[in-house]
Amino acid sequence: MSKDYYEILGVDKKASVSDIKKAYRKLARKYHPDLNPNDKEAEAKFKEIQEAYSVLKDPKKKKQYDEYGYVGEQPPPGGGAGRGAYQQWQQEGGGGFQGFDFSEYGTSSFQDFFKDIFGGGGARQRAQARTRPMKGQDLLYNMRLGFKDAIEGIQTRIQLTREVPCVKCGGTGSLQTGSAQACQACGGTGQTTMQRGAMRFATTCPQCGGQGQSPGTPCPQCGGTGLQQKTERIRVKIPAGVNTGSKVRIAGKGNAGQNGGPPGDLFITIDVNSHPVFKREGSNIYVKVPITVPEATLGAKIDVPTVEGKSTIKIPPGTRSGQKFRIRDKGAPIVGKKGRGDEFVEVSIVPPPFEDEKIREMMKELEKISGQNPRADLGV
């Protein structure tokens, strides 16, 4: 004789799919074999629940069952679970929650099943978050440097406000009165027992975070955070060669960590002032140097400025305005590497003073002798 699936799930024949699911979940939690070990009656009941639900949740199967009283090509002999879902669970090895029908959870894992029952295990997660070591936040500091200081590097002191362990509670966030006392919520075990329906198991105590000891009275100085703000001056070293946009890391000078976690770091962002003579691109330095007409015509040795002082370069005869000369290793140091960039000297020819009559006469004579037409290539 066919079984009454509606009676097994305790729902009316006009029950919606949602009502059928609710009834199934409630009964499955109550009679699951893992929660009723060595209970043959619970095991048999679970089989019936699985069988009933597998039919009533499926519109086609439900329609056949409502019309003919059975599902399949022919009525089952004597009823029973037959090829039901629980029998398949047994054939696949049994144990755990493998035989549980998680289809409405969209996963073969029972994690979503627990989330559905317990709301995502929030108490345990919050307890773990309170007790696990956490690194402190990193801090950012903007520093403006002179051009020379950026090239050579400096050691200086800066003032900043950061979070440090509270001196009153030692960073714990609470004040213990006398000797440590066992947590009243869990009796010092660090775990509490939760029960939902027939399910009963141990979980991390949300009151003490699994420590087993009473957290004590919240520290009035830090408000229970274990941290307090402190303004201090610290010494920092800026390496040679930094430029605008460079970041210098000062390890351990960020905010303090929590629950024994390490402190964060301090990151100094550099902004470098411009220079009236030098221009910098990466590790290279550029400078413009004027030369006289005789120096450009006859050639000469001239002194030019560098970031390290004066340096002498050779101007070959016939040098033109805009011509560049390279001085190796006279640029900025390369941060984190050996060596330096180069300096590039661009020369520009400066005409002699035209107010001097004698110079004017010499220039006229030079023009006659040279017969030079610098615009001949232009067709004029």
Side-chain angles (χ1 to χ4, degrees), residues 14 16 34 49 51 64 69 118 128 162 165 173 187 204 281 302 317 323 358 377:
K14 296 182 180 181
S16 64
D34 281 359
I49 294 168
E51 181 182 356
Q64 181 182 353
F118 301 113
Q128 291 175 340
R162 64 192 189 103
T204 302
E281 294 183 7
I302 64 171
Q323 195 166 336
K358 185 176 181 180
D377 293 339

Side-chain angles (χ1 to χ4, degrees), residues 14 23 25 117-118 127 168 194 212 226 255 259 303 348 358:
K14 296 182 180 181
R25 292 177 184 175
I117 302 173
F118 301 113
K168 188 174 184 65
M194 295 185 65
N255 285 337
N259 304 322
D303 290 334
S348 59
K358 185 176 181 180

Side-chain angles (χ1 to χ4, degrees), residues 193-313:
T193 300
M194 295 185 65
Q195 183 166 351
R196 295 293 177 91
M199 301 180 71
R200 181 182 178 88
F201 58 92
T203 185
T204 302
C205 175
Q207 185 69 28
C208 67
Q211 300 299 307
Q213 295 181 355
S214 173
T217 304
C219 175
Q221 185 160 318
C222 65
T225 65
L227 302 173
Q228 64 180 98
Q229 290 195 336
K230 179 181 180 182
T231 299
E232 57 184 334
R233 291 179 62 83
I234 63 172
R235 180 178 294 275
V236 296
K237 181 178 181 180
I238 307 300
V242 294
N243 202 358
T244 296
S246 295
K247 284 189 176 181
V248 180
R249 174 176 172 264
I250 310 298
K253 290 302 181 179
N255 285 337
Q258 292 180 295
N259 304 322
D265 300 324
L266 170 65
F267 289 89
I268 301 177
T269 302
I270 304 297
D271 189 13
V272 180
N273 292 332
S274 59
H275 193 275
V277 174
F278 300 111
K279 180 182 178 182
R280 180 176 175 182
E281 294 183 7
S283 59
N284 293 327
I285 301 294
Y286 295 82
V287 61
K288 292 184 177 181
V289 175
I291 59 175
T292 66
V293 172
E295 289 173 338
T297 304
L298 305 176
K301 289 184 177 181
I302 64 171
D303 290 334
V304 297
T306 73
V307 293
E308 293 183 315
K310 291 192 301 183
S311 186
T312 301
I313 64 172

Side-chain angles (χ1 to χ4, degrees), residues 61-75:
K61 293 180 180 180
K62 183 177 182 297
K63 182 178 180 181
Q64 181 182 353
Y65 175 77
D66 289 343
E67 292 180 0
Y68 303 106
Y70 67 90
V71 175
E73 296 181 357
Q74 59 184 358

Side-chain angles (χ1 to χ4, degrees), residues 60-119:
K60 291 183 178 180
K61 293 180 180 180
K62 183 177 182 297
K63 182 178 180 181
Q64 181 182 353
Y65 175 77
D66 289 343
E67 292 180 0
Y68 303 106
Y70 67 90
V71 175
E73 296 181 357
Q74 59 184 358
R83 301 179 184 272
Y86 186 73
Q87 188 178 54
Q88 182 181 357
W89 170 78
Q90 288 180 314
Q91 292 172 352
E92 292 175 351
F97 280 82
Q98 294 177 357
F100 200 90
D101 188 343
F102 292 100
S103 58
E104 69 269 34
Y105 294 98
T107 175
S108 60
S109 169
F110 59 82
Q111 293 177 349
D112 288 349
F113 170 69
F114 277 111
K115 289 181 180 179
D116 184 63
I117 302 173
F118 301 113

Side-chain angles (χ1 to χ4, degrees), residues 3 38 44 54 63 75 85 87 110 138 140 178 183 203 218-219 230 241 257 286 322 330 355 360 376:
K3 296 181 180 180
N38 302 320
S54 68
K63 182 178 180 181
Q87 188 178 54
F110 59 82
D138 295 332
L140 299 178
C183 174
T203 185
C219 175
K230 179 181 180 182
Y286 295 82
K330 290 297 182 180
E355 297 90 351
R360 291 169 63 89

